[in-house]
């Protein structure tokens, strides 16, 4: 078992009487690997980029949050077909710095929040292989001023793809950054998007794939009485695919997608200012049991589930929900569900 943690430094703080700007956050890197001859090899890596520095009032600009992109920098290996492997990779982008604090109003620009990308993939030959990939982007900086807009969150993308002779399991989870908070008359910032993709393929055993995607909420507007931050661009897209090629094996795919919530007057959640959510899942077996489930919630929510058993048993469920996964909305949403369930031409669909 091996673990590794990397942290980028945060940018420095600037004060209005100096007239400077906040420093930028620092980046991260490194790699972690574990190997076993016959047991379990487990590897975990956490990569946190630095946040931008704040500006305490004046016209100075806050610092940028650092972005992070982690590509197969966590790995686990087994030299025997009887061994098993587990690898988990977590990438977090840095938030942008704040502008203004309490009585020291700030009119400068807010730096960019840092995006997050985590990609894991492996092609193994062992009894059980699992990949978990997480990406969570930085939040927008707060603004304390009589006007202006707080910072925008950054986008996040996570993917996990495993191919194995034995059991294959993948999980991908991504969260877009939240918009910053607007204070003293400033407006809350824009939320950002999250995209997750999980794929599992097993040639001789069972297969599982789970994908979770969340858009970042718009930032709150405090003491201004105006609308909160929008989340129109804070889409969420989750895709999962599980395939079990051996006769009589099991495949299960699950996708969950929640668009970022936009805020109206008095910080009420509004669908009309929220992100689009798309969730798609596919499970495929060869004369086995296939289960596919998708759930989506957003301004426009689209859920698709497809199961293909080639004889055997297939269950496909698609849900488009309101107020179940997230928070109740004040206005209508658009929903669309699509289910495909096929067992050698014999199809039953319930919605």
């Amino acid at each position: 078992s091996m673990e590794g943690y990397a942290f980028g430094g945060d940018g420095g703080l600037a004060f209005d009487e100096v007239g400077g700007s906040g420093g930028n956050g620092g980046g991260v890197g490194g790699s972690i690997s574990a190997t076993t001859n016959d047991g379990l090899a487990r590897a975990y890596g956490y990569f946190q980029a630095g946040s931008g520095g704040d500006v305490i009032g004046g016209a100075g600009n806050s610092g940028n949050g650092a972005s992070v992109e982690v590509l197969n920098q966590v790995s686990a290996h087994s030299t025997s077909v009887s061994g098993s492997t587990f690898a988990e990779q977590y990438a977090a982008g840095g938030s942008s710095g704040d502008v203004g604090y309490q009585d020291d109003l700030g009119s400068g620009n807010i730096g960019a929040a840092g995006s997050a990308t985590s990609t894991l993939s492996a092609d193994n030959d062992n009894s059980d292989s699992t990949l978990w990939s997480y990406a969570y982007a930085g939040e927008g900086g707060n603004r304390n001023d009589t006007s202006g807009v707080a910072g925008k969150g950054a986008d996040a993308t996570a993917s996990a793809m495993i191919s194995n002779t034995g059991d294959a399991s993948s999980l991908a989870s991504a969260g877009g950054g939240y918009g910053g908070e607007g204070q003293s008359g400033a407006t809350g910032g824009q939320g950002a998007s999250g995209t997750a993709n999980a794929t599992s393929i097993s040639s001789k055993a069972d297969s599982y794939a789970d994908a979770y995607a969340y858009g970042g909420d718009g930032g709150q507007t405090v003491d201004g009485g105006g609308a909160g931050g929008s989340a129109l661009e804070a889409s969420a897209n989750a895709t999962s695919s599980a395939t079990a090629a051996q006769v009589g094996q099991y495949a299960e795919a699950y996708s969950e997608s929640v668009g970022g919530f936009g805020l109206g007057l008095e910080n009420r959640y509004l669908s009309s200012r929220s992100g689009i959510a798309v969730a798609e899942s596919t499970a495929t077996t060869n004369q086995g049991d296939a289960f596919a489930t998708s759930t989506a919630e957003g301004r426009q929510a689209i859920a698709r589930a497809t199961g293909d058993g080639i004889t055997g048993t297939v269950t496909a469920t698609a849900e488009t929900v309101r107020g179940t996964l997230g928070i109740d909305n004040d206005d209508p949403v658009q929903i669309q569900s699509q289910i495909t369930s096929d067992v050698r031409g014999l199809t039953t669909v319930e919605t």
Side-chain angles (χ1 to χ4, degrees):
S1 180
M2 297 290 291
E3 296 185 4
Y5 301 84
F7 298 90
D10 292 342
L13 181 70
F15 293 89
D16 53 356
E17 59 265 24
V18 178
S21 296
N24 295 327
V28 289
S31 61
I32 301 93
S33 181
T35 301
T36 185
N37 292 324
D38 194 26
L40 169 66
R42 175 187 175 275
Y44 173 78
Y46 182 91
F47 303 83
Q48 170 70 66
S51 294
D54 300 336
V55 176
I56 307 300
N61 304 325
S62 69
N64 299 322
S67 295
V68 57
E69 182 175 4
V70 187
L71 175 60
N72 285 327
Q73 289 167 231
V74 179
S75 59
H77 310 276
S78 172
T79 59
S80 169
V81 294
S82 62
S84 59
T85 58
F86 178 90
E88 180 177 356
Q89 181 172 279
Y90 192 111
S95 297
S96 54
D98 301 337
V99 169
Y101 179 72
Q102 295 184 347
D103 294 335
D104 292 317
L105 304 181
S107 60
N109 296 325
I110 293 179
S115 62
T117 302
S118 175
T119 302
L120 268 183
S121 62
D123 188 352
N124 293 338
D125 180 13
N126 59 49
S127 65
D128 190 340
S129 287
T130 299
L131 296 181
W132 288 0
S133 178
Y134 296 88
Y136 286 86
E139 299 181 358
N142 300 331
R143 179 181 294 282
N144 183 37
D145 199 11
T146 55
S147 62
V149 181
K152 177 183 177 181
D155 298 330
T157 303
S159 64
M161 192 280 176
I162 180 66
S163 177
N164 190 34
T165 52
D167 288 345
S169 301
S170 63
L171 182 148
S173 180
Y178 282 44
E181 187 176 274
Q183 304 164 352
S184 303
T187 302
Q190 162 82 36
S193 66
T195 303
N197 188 308
T199 302
S200 298
I201 301 172
S202 174
S203 59
K204 298 180 180 180
D206 297 339
S207 180
Y208 305 85
D210 295 274
Y212 302 85
Y214 306 99
D217 290 354
Q220 289 191 340
T221 295
V222 181
D223 302 327
S230 171
L232 287 173
E233 299 178 16
S235 61
N237 194 312
T239 305
S240 63
S241 174
T243 302
Q246 182 93 340
V247 173
Q249 297 300 314
Y250 177 87
E252 180 176 312
Y254 177 80
S255 291
E256 178 175 299
S257 181
V258 184
F261 282 87
L263 304 179
L265 295 175
E266 299 180 353
N267 292 314
R268 296 288 294 175
Y269 287 87
L270 293 180
S271 299
S272 58
R273 294 168 61 83
S274 298
I276 294 173
V278 180
E280 301 185 61
S281 62
T282 303
T284 304
T285 66
N286 183 2
Q287 303 180 44
D289 293 342
F291 289 85
T293 303
S294 296
T295 303
E297 180 180 15
R299 177 178 89 250
Q300 180 180 3
I302 302 172
R304 302 186 182 98
T306 302
D308 190 347
I310 318 178
T311 76
T313 302
V314 166
T315 301
T317 304
E319 290 184 292
T320 44
V321 300
R322 177 181 179 185
T324 300
L325 297 177
I327 302 176
D328 289 339
N329 307 298
D330 279 352
D331 54 359
V333 297
Q334 302 174 20
I335 63 173
Q336 173 184 334
S337 297
Q338 177 180 326
I339 302 173
T340 302
S341 177
D342 190 6
V343 182
R344 197 176 288 279
L346 302 178
T347 302
T348 300
V349 175
E350 296 181 2
T351 60

